[in-house]
Amino acid sequence: MAATHTPAEDLACLRLARTEGIGPATFRRLIARHGTARAALAALPAHAARSGRALTPFPEALAEREMAALTMLGGRFLFLGTPAYPPLLALLEDAPPALAVLGNPALLSTRQIGLVGARSASAAGRRMAEQLAGELTQAGLTITSGLARGIDAAAHEGALAAKGATIAVVAGGLDEPYPPENAPLQARIVAEGGAVVAEAPLGTAPLARHFPRRNRIVAGLVLGVVVVEAAPKSGSLITARLALEAGREVFAVPGNPLDPRARGGNDLIRQGAHLTETAEDVLQFLPESPRDLPLFAPRARVEQLAEHRAEPPAPPGDPTKVLELIGTQPVAVDDLVRRCQLSAPSVQAILLDLELSGLVETLPGNRVARSLS
């Protein structure tokens, strides 16, 4: 994607991101193949014809209206592939194509630590979250959390009390504060130099299915996640798992084994999370960058595909042959290239059409599998 965006390209990015059937991974593949969002939008009819699936670009007028509404609210968009987009989040294969931000967008590129936990937090848990947040901000870190009741709210409040920086990632639209009682906290975060971030469009209610997507953004923005009180199977543990998958550190505050709210954190410690009682326990293990894991490497992949954009289009090949080699178990794209005896650009083009038709899905690690839906 181009290093700088014109307003027309920004609008095209938003339209592509909002087009039904275009998820984050498909958005990235389309940009990698076509170079710009405007070119990708222009190519959608051809992709639709090959895949047999309708792909109607999001209306330009609705995208313009959404951009104007966000501007009126005092916010702005950050688009994947532009300099202002947070670099750690961009490492996720399913990084949001468009982020709506209120407040200071530059905070999203600072060194961050996630601090999350139970909504029904104990008084001791809230005090711990506030203390950790205050001490970690004084050490130069930005505190990132989800604006939920309990530990999340305490983390934001602790950062603000210490005159530090904090980021709230919300599950709905920026104009739908949740929970409602935290609307003043959201406004205070913005007013005191922090930032509030949303992937969902304005007007989106924070439904239950939106929260795991919110959690992946928290995990993707930060260098590590601290869990303070979490029941088994809680959203905080989802955030911790996503952080591990992204090569980030995981920390957990130990708790009373008789308290169900401590069980999730204690389990994390047994599984290898850093036992955390003070800010120093975090600082001594927090790296300068994520661990080097064999995960999806978007920049390398985009650059590799960009090399082929100036070449004549490769022969499309046989999509049936490629599909036959893909099962429900993930397979590496590099293996498909070898087994198909087609060029890498041809296989990428076929996979894009299969993905747009809903037959395959892209997975982390540059792998694909048959779609189960």
Side-chain angles (χ1 to χ4, degrees):
M1 195 179 298
T4 58
H5 267 205
T6 63
E9 180 64 13
D10 284 347
L11 184 63
C13 272
L14 184 59
R15 292 182 64 199
L16 189 63
R18 298 287 187 251
T19 295
E20 186 175 355
I22 305 295
T26 308
F27 178 96
R28 192 192 289 276
R29 290 169 68 93
L30 284 166
I31 298 296
R33 178 163 177 77
H34 299 288
T36 67
R38 283 179 290 177
L41 282 173
L44 285 185
H47 285 298
R50 287 196 296 270
S51 66
R53 181 186 181 193
L55 283 170
T56 304
F58 190 74
E60 184 174 348
L62 293 183
E64 289 176 337
R65 189 181 308 169
E66 183 178 352
M67 294 188 90
L70 181 59
T71 300
M72 288 289 292
L73 197 63
R76 60 169 291 190
F77 279 109
L78 302 181
F79 294 106
L80 181 65
T82 61
Y85 195 90
L88 293 192
L89 186 60
L91 295 176
L92 302 186
E93 183 178 18
D94 61 348
L99 287 175
V101 183
L102 288 177
N104 181 6
L107 280 184
L108 275 66
S109 297
T110 60
R111 296 183 77 240
Q112 299 168 51
I113 184 75
L115 214 165
V116 299
R119 289 176 170 82
S120 57
S122 66
R126 286 185 57 91
R127 286 197 303 273
M128 185 67 177
E130 290 177 2
Q131 178 178 323
L132 281 174
E135 292 174 354
L136 289 169
T137 60
Q138 290 173 353
L141 294 170
T142 298
I143 302 299
T144 300
S145 195
L147 201 71
R149 300 180 181 95
I151 297 301
D152 288 20
H156 295 304
E157 290 165 352
L160 293 173
K163 306 301 181 184
T166 187
I167 297 170
V169 184
V170 298
L174 289 177
D175 55 346
E176 297 281 344
Y178 184 85
E181 64 265 28
N182 281 353
L185 177 58
Q186 174 172 317
R188 185 182 167 205
I189 289 171
V190 174
E192 297 188 19
V196 183
V197 182
E199 178 182 16
L202 293 175
T204 301
L207 304 178
R209 66 176 182 269
H210 298 150
F211 285 89
R213 298 181 64 82
R214 183 275 309 268
N215 295 345
R216 94 184 190 290
I217 297 175
V218 172
L221 284 169
V222 302
L223 290 166
V225 169
V226 182
V227 176
V228 183
E229 295 189 340
K233 300 183 180 180
S234 68
S236 300
L237 298 187
I238 293 175
T239 306
R241 175 179 60 80
L242 293 170
L244 280 174
E245 292 176 356
R248 317 301 160 91
E249 296 296 324
V250 173
F251 306 82
V253 175
N256 185 340
L258 298 179
D259 188 342
R261 291 170 294 194
R263 194 170 302 158
N266 290 345
D267 285 345
L268 285 175
I269 294 169
R270 278 192 288 270
Q271 294 163 14
H274 301 292
L275 187 151
T276 301
E277 295 176 323
T278 66
E280 185 56 36
D281 294 330
V282 175
L283 295 172
Q284 67 175 320
F285 292 111
L286 195 67
E288 289 296 321
S289 60
R291 292 192 300 276
D292 186 15
L293 296 179
L295 299 177
F296 179 76
R299 288 186 180 84
R301 184 167 165 194
V302 168
E303 290 169 1
Q304 179 186 37
L305 292 177
E307 294 175 359
H308 299 287
R309 285 201 295 268
E311 300 175 359
D318 183 1
T320 303
K321 179 180 178 181
V322 175
L323 188 59
E324 287 175 351
L325 295 174
I326 303 174
T328 55
Q329 295 301 312
V331 59
V333 173
D334 290 343
D335 288 341
L336 283 178
V337 172
R338 286 192 293 269
R339 294 165 66 187
C340 292
Q341 297 183 335
L342 296 172
S343 68
S346 293
V347 173
Q348 294 285 0
I350 291 170
L351 289 175
L352 179 57
D353 287 334
L354 292 174
E355 185 176 2
L356 290 171
S357 66
L359 295 175
V360 303
E361 57 182 323
T362 302
L363 304 171
N366 199 18
R367 301 173 300 158
V368 293
R370 289 277 187 113
S371 176
L372 299 179
S373 57

